[in-house]
């Protein structure tokens, strides 16, 4: 049952620029699902630019700022905070990655967001932003807990990522026979490692395997690709680590726009999805998106686990310890190629999606957003209702 009683102001403004997967899963997909629900009188507007029209704001229940940060972000929050005094909407922000350094920093040696060093003053705008917001939406408990240690604002809401069934539309499937030549796909972005390159001074910088060093993933894939025991697909272009050993022997696909990505992944019909991660603060802030994507595609995830890993809630057969060898990965693959073992993990995945509200169109998933958007925020002037 959806909890959306007494909504007198129907609009939710989601300010989210760009066309990234983050925007799709945290703004576009929830907005699309909410807008098609009858009877709750709630309509989401996803916009790349802030809206300050008085008539629109008079009908706005909540403003959600996606991944707002830095001095420009702080200025925008202050503008909406001033407008809030007149129009009475809730002021929220949504984050699905680590927005600020914790006591342990970020923990990534290869710094995928750029070559610059992170400085303490870089975090000052976000600290002020967090205190001005009525609520901060994050994707997991670790993120809420660790950020609240810093801000002590107690204004965090956990809304996990969900997959839209209307776009990940492949039917649920169980294997009718054992797998003899599995299809394996890597869907993580290229920023999980750092290829050799020249820096801004023209100096050669050696490559860093990054998350691929969490277990003997590369050795395992190279061996199986060479022996033609698997078909491997790499999303986002070539994997430089594989190209050192098996160039041209696997399939590389470029990234596609977020609205096309779910149908593409569904059509690829992969048996396994690999998700390497090293243990660090940045990766603990990540969501389990790779896991639920594999589940809605009836694939089996093989993902790195450690304390507070995003894949800690995966099936035991999906969990890959950080010291796992190529031989052990091979043994796991052989076990999971058994039809019955494979189907157990697939069934577990679909149960998770349904029972834990991880399908975007489900009442449970939509209700998480509706509750946050419609929570009362003081008194609203009579002439604005």
């Amino acid at each position: 049952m959806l909890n959306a009683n007494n909504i007198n102001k129907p609009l939710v403004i989601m300010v989210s620029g760009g066309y990234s997967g983050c925007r799709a899963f945290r703004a576009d997909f929830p907005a699309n699902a909410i807008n098609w629900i009858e009877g709750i009188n709630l309509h989401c507007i996803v916009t790349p630019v802030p809206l300050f029209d008085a008539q629109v704001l008079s009908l706005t229940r909540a403003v959600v700022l996606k991944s707002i940060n830095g001095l420009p972000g702080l200025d925008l929050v202050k503008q909406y905070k001033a407008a809030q005094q007149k129009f009475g909407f809730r002021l929220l922000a949504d984050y699905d990655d680590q927005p600020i350094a914790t006591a342990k920093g970020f923990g990534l040696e290869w710094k995928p967001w750029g070559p610059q060093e992170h400085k303490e003053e870089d975090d000052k705008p976000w600290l002020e932003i967090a205190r001005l917001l009525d609520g901060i939406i994050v994707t997991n408990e670790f993120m809420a807990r660790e950020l609240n240690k810093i801000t002590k604002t107690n204004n965090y809401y956990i809304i996990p990522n969900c997959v839209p069934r209307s776009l990940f539309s492949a039917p649920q499937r169980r294997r009718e026979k054992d797998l003899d030549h599995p299809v394996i796909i890597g869907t993580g972005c290229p920023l999980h490692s750092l290829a050799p390159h020249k820096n801004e001074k023209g100096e050669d910088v050696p490559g860093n395997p990054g998350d691929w060093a969490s277990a003997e993933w590369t050795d395992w894939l190279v061996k199986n690709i060479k022996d033609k025991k698997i078909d491997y697909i790499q999303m986002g272009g070539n994997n430089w680590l594989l190209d050192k050993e098996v160039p041209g022997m696997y399939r590389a696909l470029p990234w596609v726009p977020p609205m096309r990505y779910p149908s593409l992944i569904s059509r690829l019909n992969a048996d396994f999805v690999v998700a390497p991660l090293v243990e660090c603060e940045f990766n603990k802030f990540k969501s389990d998106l790779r896991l639920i994507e594999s589940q809605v595609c009836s694939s089996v995830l093989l993902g790195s686990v450690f304390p507070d890993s995003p894949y800690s809630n995966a099936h035991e057969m999906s969990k890959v310890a950080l010291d796992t060898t190529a031989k052990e990965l091979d043994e796991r693959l052989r076990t999971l190629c058994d039809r019955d073992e494979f189907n157990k993990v697939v069934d577990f995945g679909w149960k998770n999606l349904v029972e834990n509200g991880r399908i975007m169109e489900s009442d449970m998933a939509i209700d998480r957003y509706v509750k946050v958007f419609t929570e009362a925020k003081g008194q609203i002037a009579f002439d604005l209702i």
Side-chain angles (χ1 to χ4, degrees):
M1 190 71 177
L2 291 174
N3 294 283
N5 297 326
N6 204 23
I7 299 177
N8 298 308
K9 300 172 75 176
L11 299 182
V12 173
I13 299 173
M14 296 179 167
V15 183
S16 183
Y19 294 95
S20 67
C22 297
R23 167 181 166 164
F25 280 92
R26 302 301 293 179
D28 291 313
F29 295 160
N32 290 344
I34 291 168
N35 290 346
W36 282 100
I37 296 294
E38 297 282 353
I40 64 172
N41 193 31
L42 198 64
H43 186 86
C44 300
I45 301 171
V46 182
T47 170
V49 295
L51 300 180
F52 286 100
D53 179 85
Q55 186 172 3
V56 172
L57 290 182
S58 71
L59 297 170
T60 297
R61 171 66 58 159
V63 173
V64 186
L65 307 175
K66 178 75 190 81
S67 299
I68 199 78
N69 212 333
L71 288 174
L74 177 57
D75 287 342
L76 180 58
V77 170
K78 287 180 177 179
Q79 290 179 61
Y80 270 118
K81 197 70 180 176
Q84 184 188 54
Q85 301 306 309
K86 179 179 181 180
F87 297 106
F89 50 78
R90 300 206 74 209
L91 184 56
L92 309 164
D94 180 280
Y95 299 90
D96 60 347
D97 260 327
Q98 185 177 358
I100 186 175
T102 66
K104 296 181 180 179
F106 287 89
L108 291 182
E109 298 174 0
W110 60 98
K111 296 181 180 63
W113 55 85
Q116 71 277 7
E117 293 290 332
H118 187 82
K119 301 180 179 64
E120 186 175 346
E121 54 263 33
D122 295 337
D123 291 333
K124 290 181 180 178
W126 193 84
L127 289 172
E128 190 171 348
I129 286 171
R131 295 179 182 116
L132 291 172
L133 297 168
D134 298 313
I136 301 172
I137 305 169
V138 297
T139 59
N140 63 53
E141 292 181 10
F142 177 86
M143 197 172 182
R145 183 177 72 244
E146 295 304 308
L147 290 179
N148 199 51
K149 287 179 182 178
I150 299 171
T151 64
K152 297 179 173 58
T153 50
N154 297 314
N155 60 347
Y156 292 90
Y157 297 93
I158 300 167
I159 299 183
N161 274 325
C162 296
V163 282
R165 192 70 181 101
S166 56
L167 297 178
F168 288 90
S169 56
Q172 180 178 352
R173 61 195 178 104
R174 305 178 89 252
R175 283 12 178 222
E176 300 299 325
K177 59 182 180 180
D178 295 345
L179 305 175
D180 58 2
H181 194 84
V183 176
I184 302 177
I185 188 169
T187 57
C189 75
L191 296 182
H192 283 271
S193 68
L194 185 68
H197 64 285
K198 291 185 181 294
N199 62 18
E200 60 274 11
K201 298 178 182 179
E203 301 166 332
D204 289 326
V205 178
N208 187 319
D211 286 322
W212 289 92
S214 57
E216 293 183 355
W217 296 99
T218 306
D219 292 345
W220 171 63
L221 288 174
V222 165
K223 179 180 181 298
N224 280 281
I225 292 170
K226 278 184 177 178
D227 294 344
K228 298 182 178 181
K229 291 183 177 179
I230 65 171
D231 283 335
Y232 183 69
I233 303 171
Q234 180 70 60
M235 284 295 301
N238 284 33
N239 184 323
W240 66 277
L241 291 161
L242 298 179
D243 283 347
K244 292 194 298 184
E245 301 287 342
V246 286
M249 294 182 67
Y250 65 94
R251 187 179 177 191
L253 297 176
W255 286 117
V256 296
M259 295 301 287
R260 288 174 51 200
Y261 173 78
S263 63
L264 172 60
I265 296 300
S266 297
R267 292 195 307 273
L268 290 174
N269 206 27
D271 299 302
F272 296 94
V273 176
V274 292
L277 292 176
V278 295
E279 181 179 0
C280 67
E281 202 79 344
F282 187 79
N283 284 340
K284 291 178 181 181
F285 272 76
K286 285 183 175 294
S287 77
D288 61 353
L289 187 55
R290 295 285 86 80
L291 173 62
I292 59 173
E293 284 179 0
S294 68
Q295 290 174 339
V296 77
C297 292
S298 300
S299 305
V300 169
L301 180 88
L302 294 172
S304 300
V305 291
F306 40 81
D308 295 307
S309 163
Y311 308 129
S312 296
N313 59 332
H315 191 280
E316 287 302 315
M317 291 297 289
S318 288
K319 298 178 181 180
V320 176
L322 297 181
D323 58 353
T324 302
T325 65
K327 181 180 178 182
E328 289 169 333
L329 282 167
D330 248 353
E331 292 170 353
R332 181 77 60 85
L333 182 66
R334 282 197 298 272
T335 299
L336 285 168
C337 280
D338 176 85
R339 175 194 62 187
D340 294 333
E341 293 298 322
F342 188 97
N343 287 336
K344 285 179 187 177
V345 182
V346 169
D347 292 344
F348 175 93
W350 278 99
K351 183 178 181 182
N352 171 57
L353 294 174
V354 173
E355 294 186 357
N356 294 311
R358 305 303 297 276
I359 293 176
M360 190 65 255
E361 296 87 347
S362 68
D363 280 2
M364 193 185 303
I366 292 172
D367 201 37
R368 293 188 189 108
Y369 282 98
V370 173
K371 284 179 177 177
V372 175
F373 294 163
T374 61
E375 188 171 296
K377 173 61 181 175
Q379 296 294 317
I380 300 172
F382 177 80
D383 62 342
L384 296 180
I385 296 179

